[in-house]
Amino acid sequence: CYPRTVSVPLQGKARVIALLMTGTTDPMQSQMQNGLVSVQYTDGSSAELSLRNPETWWPIEQDYFENGLAFHLKQSPPVRVHLKTGKVYNGFAPKKDYVSIKGFSDRIIDGGAATVLLFAVDASKRLKSLTVKATANDVLIGLMAVSLIQ
């Protein structure tokens, strides 16, 4: 059984928190919040970043196919890091960097991919902790790295 919530302590101040994350999602969780990242400040206040499929939450095994029919991306695709090669893409990778699983997807990423998210926080407040919470069924969320950007 996987935990629904994980917290890590933070110290200092930042204006942006860069997150390297990966995990699962599927079509049943499309157009809805899959998870939530929240930062707690030492003064008791907090800020939240919704992990929403397909806007800010993408699956480890593939990039979405956006043709304007099933859904429309409301923002640019997130930065993706291909875990096997280390290649970083700001947007979709070239077709040659995908593999295919017949009948499933032509945008499979051999070795998987992580998503880079930038979480703007209040630079005037001291950070206490960061919490990651899964909010949808059948979703796994992995936090791989946290960087505080001042």
Side-chain angles (χ1 to χ4, degrees):
C1 184
Y2 297 101
R4 291 188 66 78
T5 304
V6 174
S7 293
V8 293
L10 299 176
Q11 291 182 4
K13 295 180 180 182
R15 48 181 186 81
V16 175
I17 299 176
L19 305 166
L20 183 64
M21 304 183 77
T22 194
T24 64
T25 187
D26 62 56
M28 292 301 292
Q29 279 78 27
S30 182
Q31 309 299 315
M32 64 185 279
Q33 180 176 283
N34 286 210
L36 188 66
V37 177
S38 61
V39 64
Q40 293 73 43
Y41 300 103
T42 57
D43 69 0
S45 63
S46 62
E48 296 181 337
L49 172 67
S50 178
L51 302 178
R52 188 172 166 80
N53 168 350
E55 294 153 16
T56 55
W57 190 242
W58 288 39
I60 188 172
E61 80 281 356
Q62 66 179 310
D63 279 349
Y64 290 117
F65 176 67
E66 206 280 321
N67 64 359
L69 298 175
F71 60 85
H72 294 283
L73 292 176
K74 296 175 184 163
Q75 59 198 43
S76 298
V79 173
R80 301 275 279 167
V81 179
H82 289 210
L83 300 173
K84 185 175 182 178
T85 64
K87 292 181 181 178
V88 178
Y89 295 102
N90 190 1
F92 294 107
K95 187 169 177 77
K96 68 176 180 57
D97 287 345
Y98 295 113
V99 295
S100 179
I101 296 177
K102 187 176 181 179
F104 178 64
S105 175
D106 291 329
R107 291 185 172 263
I108 299 297
I109 300 165
D110 186 18
T115 301
V116 176
L117 296 173
L118 300 178
F119 182 6
V121 295
D122 190 334
S124 69
K125 296 184 178 187
R126 291 201 158 287
L127 300 167
K128 179 180 178 183
S129 61
L130 180 113
T131 301
V132 179
K133 179 179 180 182
T135 59
N137 292 330
D138 302 324
V139 171
L140 297 175
I141 299 172
L143 177 64
M144 300 172 71
V146 176
S147 295
L148 303 180
I149 301 170
Q150 298 177 349

